Amino acid sequence: GIMMQSRKLNQDIIAAAKSRDDITLVRLVESWWSEFDAVNAATAFRSLLMLHHSSNKRSEVLRILEKEISERHMPAFGARQCANTLHALAKAKRSHSASILLMQLLLERVAELVHDLNPQDISNIMWAFATLELEAEPLKELVSLLAAQALSVHRDFNPQSISNTLWAFATLGFRPSKALLVGLTEQTVAVQGDFKAQE
């Protein structure tokens, strides 16, 4: 049924992206976007943003997907879809103005889903905010919500998430609560064997 089709589409999108098969990926999205559910749309959007070669076809398909996500899929976006989409937008250095509506909707959705966010989601979202050099002031409230959620899940943070989150707080000029800093410091000690040199 529909669930099976959605899963199969996602596998095909991921396989094309992994094998860096740009043409197949673009063609797949072009043929199937109208059948996508929220997970397919998020996966396809992220995969297209990560392509190394820009083309008119890719830009066109990205525009269609962005519109679809903004107008149709956002209410079904879960925490992971929001975090991964923001992370991909930042990684692709997609300017805020290019995706202003999508960005606005993602920020609103993150605020709604903040209690579902795990450490990796928080880390990816915070990293995206800092990398995209978003204005800190309008984000203050949302960053406070993210910090509160980080505190409630701090025992699940891994080294990469800790370093990305702390870097993002510093870059945004946001001072986390003492409780969160203590919590992340304790977690750093608990997982210190897992830290790699570059972190």
Side-chain angles (χ1 to χ4, degrees):
I2 291 174
M3 194 69 190
M4 278 301 291
Q5 181 184 308
S6 164
R7 193 167 294 151
K8 170 83 172 86
L9 276 172
N10 234 44
Q11 286 166 348
D12 292 348
I13 295 164
I14 291 166
K18 271 203 176 125
S19 61
R20 295 174 183 263
D21 187 349
D22 298 10
I23 293 164
T24 302
L25 179 60
V26 171
R27 203 172 285 154
L28 191 67
V29 177
E30 200 179 18
S31 307
W32 288 95
W33 64 264
S34 61
E35 306 291 322
F36 282 177
D37 65 9
V39 174
N40 299 149
T43 305
F45 189 71
R46 189 175 82 237
S47 302
L48 287 168
L49 279 174
M50 295 293 108
L51 287 184
H52 293 286
H53 307 292
S54 197
S55 67
N56 291 342
K57 199 49 112 182
R58 171 193 174 223
S59 304
E60 193 183 309
V61 177
L62 265 173
R63 262 196 308 277
I64 292 170
L65 267 185
E66 192 162 325
K67 190 172 187 300
E68 280 288 291
I69 290 169
S70 300
E71 293 175 7
R72 190 158 70 93
H73 295 302
M74 192 57 72
F77 259 43
R80 179 185 283 175
Q81 283 77 50
C82 291
N84 289 351
T85 304
L86 280 164
H87 188 260
L89 284 166
K91 218 168 173 181
K93 297 270 191 282
R94 194 159 170 87
S95 74
H96 187 50
S97 55
S99 307
I100 204 146
L101 174 65
L102 178 62
M103 194 69 82
Q104 194 51 50
L105 293 169
L106 281 166
L107 298 186
E108 287 167 16
R109 189 73 183 131
V110 165
E112 288 168 17
L113 295 168
V114 77
H115 298 297
D116 297 340
L117 299 173
N118 66 32
Q120 189 173 357
D121 298 330
I122 295 166
S123 159
N124 281 346
I125 291 166
M126 291 294 301
W127 182 87
F129 289 173
T131 303
L132 287 164
E133 297 172 353
L134 297 185
E135 296 244 343
E137 199 52 43
L139 286 177
K140 219 187 226 159
E141 208 172 309
L142 183 52
V143 171
S144 296
L145 289 173
L146 289 166
Q149 178 64 4
L151 178 59
S152 66
V153 296
H154 77 269
R155 285 192 177 82
D156 298 324
F157 269 80
N158 68 20
Q160 183 78 52
S161 299
I162 294 169
S163 53
N164 284 353
T165 303
L166 291 175
W167 172 81
F169 279 135
T171 304
L172 291 165
F174 183 90
R175 186 165 297 187
S177 68
K178 188 164 183 223
L180 178 57
L181 286 175
V182 168
L184 288 179
T185 304
E186 286 173 356
Q187 183 62 6
T188 302
V189 173
V191 296
Q192 67 185 352
D194 304 333
F195 267 90
K196 290 193 281 309
Q198 87 268 13
E199 291 153 13

